[in-house]
Amino acid sequence: MEKTLYLKSTDKDISKYVVFSGDPRRVEKIISFMDDVKEIAVSREFHSYTGFYKGVKITISSTGIGGPSAAIAMEEMYECGMEVAVRLGTVMGLRDDLLGKFIIPVGAMREDGTTSTYVDKSYPAVADFELIEYMNKSAENNGFGYDNSIICSYDGFYSQMRESRLSKKLEMSIVEDIQELKKFNIGGIDMESSTILTLSRLMGIKGCVVTMTTVLENLKNYLKGGNRQKAEEEDLVRVVLDGIVLYDTAKK
Ligand SMILES: O=P(O)(O)O[C@H]1O[C@H](CO)[C@@H](O)[C@H]1O
Ligand SMILES: O=c1cc[nH]c(=O)[nH]1
């Protein structure tokens, strides 16, 4: 096949297991845990590599921020034969006890715009139950607590997740809207999970999300310095990669 448009990948380059991470810099950290890593392409926000972790071939790709680019990454990896999609990212927790903990959501509210260009809003963004179980087990094996609540994916960082000069000028109700979400027992907010989960279901592949709660709403509290770095760049990576190995072993 020809290389895909943005991720510049072919079916020869990628594994059936693909890990998507927002931040391209984090991708460079993830591959430091892997062996025999080959760069596929560094193209716009999409930095992609394939390598081995504990003998399992895994592709890692960044998506940048938000649903539109996450959908591009999902589409092009699906063209290349992806069978399992895992989002590895950070989430803004809506409960104080979640700071520093994993949220491995069962599903996500589709408050993004991208997924509605594919399917009606009544279609749920639900993670694959089997993958959730392996990721839960991996968190446990690595000695971490986790939560399996529903999260919410938004499109607007400075219009829905964090107050800004403009949002204040426009008297937007960001704080109130987040309080509303809490009433519905939503565990956290991010920007890509609904896209990854909805598209996985539409593609008929397995998808799940493993997130680390690095910050609470309105910056009430957040992981700082080395703690944040370890949580985001080591703990999260281990749980996701070990979770894929557990899944792969079970399927052999
Ligand atoms: O850590 P990542 O995967 O980038 O995820 C979260 O961080 C970004 C916002 O700061 C958004 O992309 C949100 O979903
Ligand atoms: O969604 C997120 C995740 C981490 N940090 C934020 O500010 N937002």
Side-chain angles (χ1 to χ4, degrees):
M1 71 180 279
E2 276 183 32
K3 285 188 178 183
T4 61
L5 188 60
Y6 291 114
L7 282 83
K8 317 271 182 222
S9 310
T10 72
D11 51 349
K12 303 269 181 304
D13 300 318
I14 80 139
S15 162
K16 61 182 172 186
Y17 299 114
V18 182
V19 173
F20 295 104
S21 175
D23 184 354
R25 202 182 60 95
R26 197 183 304 133
V27 167
E28 315 299 331
K29 287 283 171 194
I30 299 170
I31 60 170
S32 72
F33 287 75
M34 299 171 67
D35 305 312
D36 297 326
V37 176
K38 196 175 132 224
E39 179 185 301
I40 300 168
V42 170
S43 164
R44 293 187 182 230
E45 62 267 61
F46 308 109
H47 295 201
S48 308
Y49 298 85
T50 295
F52 292 82
Y53 179 78
K54 299 186 178 170
V56 179
K57 187 176 177 187
I58 303 175
T59 295
I60 316 290
S61 188
S62 53
T63 63
I65 289 183
S69 58
I72 289 171
M74 284 287 289
E75 288 258 17
E76 294 195 13
M77 287 294 166
Y78 181 59
E79 288 287 341
C80 294
M82 169 176 71
E83 293 175 16
V84 173
V86 181
R87 163 166 155 69
L88 175 165
T90 62
V91 65
M92 182 185 287
L94 299 187
R95 285 201 337 252
D96 294 0
D97 64 297
L98 290 175
L99 187 66
K101 291 219 179 88
F102 285 84
I103 304 184
I104 302 169
V106 287
M109 284 177 73
R110 288 175 48 205
E111 290 298 319
D112 66 281
T114 305
T115 57
S116 299
T117 65
Y118 287 89
V119 66
D120 191 83
K121 270 272 197 239
S122 59
Y123 190 92
V126 189
D128 179 85
F129 276 30
E130 224 183 351
L131 278 179
I132 293 174
E133 286 295 344
Y134 286 110
M135 292 301 169
N136 285 347
K137 185 93 191 109
S138 178
E140 244 168 55
N141 290 351
N142 279 287
F144 301 117
Y146 61 87
D147 175 275
N148 293 129
S149 55
I150 298 170
I151 62 169
C152 173
S153 297
Y154 276 144
D155 263 353
F157 184 76
Y158 286 117
S159 53
Q160 293 178 297
M161 295 166 72
R162 174 106 38 109
E163 287 186 307
S164 66
R165 185 179 175 195
L166 179 60
S167 74
K168 285 181 192 152
K169 181 168 179 279
L170 297 176
E171 297 178 0
M172 299 178 89
S173 55
I174 296 176
V175 175
E176 292 77 6
D177 292 350
I178 290 178
Q179 292 310 313
E180 277 291 307
L181 285 183
K182 285 187 180 184
K183 285 193 209 160
F184 307 143
N185 296 321
I186 299 302
I189 308 173
D190 79 348
M191 299 179 71
E192 299 83 15
S193 294
S194 59
T195 301
I196 303 280
L197 297 180
T198 304
L199 265 60
S200 299
R201 290 285 174 176
L202 293 177
M203 289 167 177
I205 65 166
K206 286 177 168 280
C208 83
V209 167
V210 181
T211 51
M212 164 59 65
T213 313
T214 50
V215 60
L216 297 179
E217 86 270 17
N218 306 323
L219 278 186
K220 189 160 77 174
N221 201 355
Y222 53 93
L223 297 184
K224 299 168 190 87
N227 279 347
R228 180 166 189 152
Q229 203 171 350
K230 181 177 177 298
E232 235 182 87
E233 296 177 355
E234 289 179 38
D235 302 344
L236 187 52
V237 179
R238 285 263 179 241
V239 168
V240 169
L241 297 182
D242 283 340
I244 291 174
V245 171
L246 285 177
Y247 175 84
D248 184 72
T249 309
K251 294 290 156 188
K252 272 181 181 150

